[in-house]
Amino acid sequence: HMYKRDAHFFGGNGIVGAQTPIGAGLAFSYKYNKQPNVAVAMYGDGAANQGQLFEALNIAALWDLPLIYVCENNHYGMGTTTARSAKSPEYYKRGDYVPGLRVDGMDALAVKQAIKFAKEHCVSGAGPIVLEMDTYRYHGHSMSDPGSTYRTRDEITGIRQERDPVERLRKLIQTHELLAPEEVKAIEKAQRKIVDDAVAAGKASPEPDADALFRNMNQVTDGIVIRGVDSSVRTPLASIQPS
């Protein structure tokens, strides 16, 4: 649910799968303006069943838009296994008339090569492509999800030990002696500092003022009422706005 236009990150909506048609729109703008760029629209295995995805896929294929659809398949959506949510869990094949690839999303180098291939495919004018990233999340979907009611802790531990992408890359570096151990530690220390600084900056940020609640919203409040939990209760909107 983040949005940062100057970084070309156009997320920020709260509707499941809504980023997929937005991605098609961004890809259309690139093609219309003859820019050598691609749009990347990412969604999870849960959002893969949304109808708007298939509408966007259709128009993207029809117009050969430079669009990479990335399905992050963590196998549980928000908390429902793919076996219970999808008749066809091979999400890279869902495009039908759009080519697709299944990628080990826990392998950093495989992901890099897949994205490189997909971009070359799109900018060549061949149209969109679907990448299914086979991945996993160790924690719950949100703070209210303990992440252990629909899977076992042994499963989580096992995948972390066998497929963790950071550990896999670390072992690869060590095996091929690409970096000295102290260089790896220096990189890890620098990355932790970035995270720690971001957390500190967030905690130090002041609370937004009350006016932020009504920013970019209808300011004409005359005659508008809010219904309470009791359907007979009506509260004039104007009476609760900050002065």
Side-chain angles (χ1 to χ4, degrees):
H1 302 294
M2 296 179 288
Y3 176 93
K4 190 170 176 57
R5 185 183 180 90
D6 59 359
H8 305 288
F9 192 88
F10 294 88
N13 54 78
I15 305 300
V16 174
Q19 68 275 19
T20 55
I22 292 174
L26 291 169
F28 174 77
S29 73
Y30 291 142
K31 183 169 184 176
Y32 184 82
N33 292 310
K34 296 180 172 57
Q35 294 174 256
N37 302 86
V38 298
V40 179
M42 305 177 74
Y43 58 96
D45 47 292
N49 298 318
Q50 286 282 314
Q52 56 195 325
L53 168 61
F54 298 95
E55 295 176 25
L57 266 173
N58 178 66
I59 203 70
L62 194 63
W63 292 347
D64 291 327
L65 301 182
L67 174 60
I68 303 173
Y69 273 125
V70 178
C71 176
E72 298 175 277
N73 181 11
N74 67 50
H75 301 275
Y76 288 100
M78 287 178 61
T80 304
T81 176
T82 54
R84 295 179 55 216
S85 65
K87 182 64 177 177
S88 173
E90 293 181 305
Y91 299 102
Y92 71 101
K93 294 182 179 180
R94 291 278 193 94
D96 187 18
Y97 37 77
V98 176
L101 292 173
R102 194 165 189 264
V103 185
D104 183 352
M106 305 286 269
D107 183 333
L109 298 182
V111 171
K112 181 179 184 294
Q113 287 301 111
I115 292 295
K116 180 177 182 291
F117 173 85
K119 181 178 180 180
E120 291 172 351
H121 169 89
C122 290
V123 297
S124 73
I129 190 170
V130 177
L131 299 181
E132 178 189 343
M133 299 292 179
D134 179 13
T135 185
Y136 196 82
R137 56 174 167 78
Y138 303 136
H139 305 286
H141 173 78
S142 64
M143 292 181 66
S144 61
D145 173 17
S148 57
T149 57
Y150 43 84
R151 55 186 179 172
T152 65
R153 294 191 183 279
D154 287 342
E155 176 186 307
I156 299 171
T157 301
I159 290 181
R160 187 191 288 270
Q161 292 175 343
E162 295 177 11
R163 299 186 61 204
D164 185 83
V166 175
E167 287 303 315
R168 289 172 73 177
L169 196 57
R170 189 204 310 275
K171 290 177 181 177
L172 185 67
I173 290 172
Q174 292 174 342
T175 300
H176 294 276
E177 299 181 341
L178 302 175
L179 292 172
E182 55 270 20
E183 290 179 291
V184 174
K185 289 182 179 179
I187 292 172
E188 291 175 337
K189 184 178 180 180
Q191 296 306 308
R192 287 196 185 96
K193 186 177 186 305
I194 292 173
V195 175
D196 291 342
D197 289 348
V199 171
K203 289 182 176 179
S205 298
E207 292 287 337
D209 56 59
D211 289 337
L213 288 170
F214 295 90
R215 195 169 296 143
N216 299 322
M217 295 180 67
N218 183 13
Q219 297 297 306
V220 181
T221 59
D222 296 340
I224 299 179
V225 296
I226 298 176
R227 188 182 72 175
V229 177
D230 183 342
S231 61
S232 64
V233 176
R234 296 290 189 274
T235 303
L237 180 60
S239 69
I240 63 171
Q241 288 200 86
S243 58

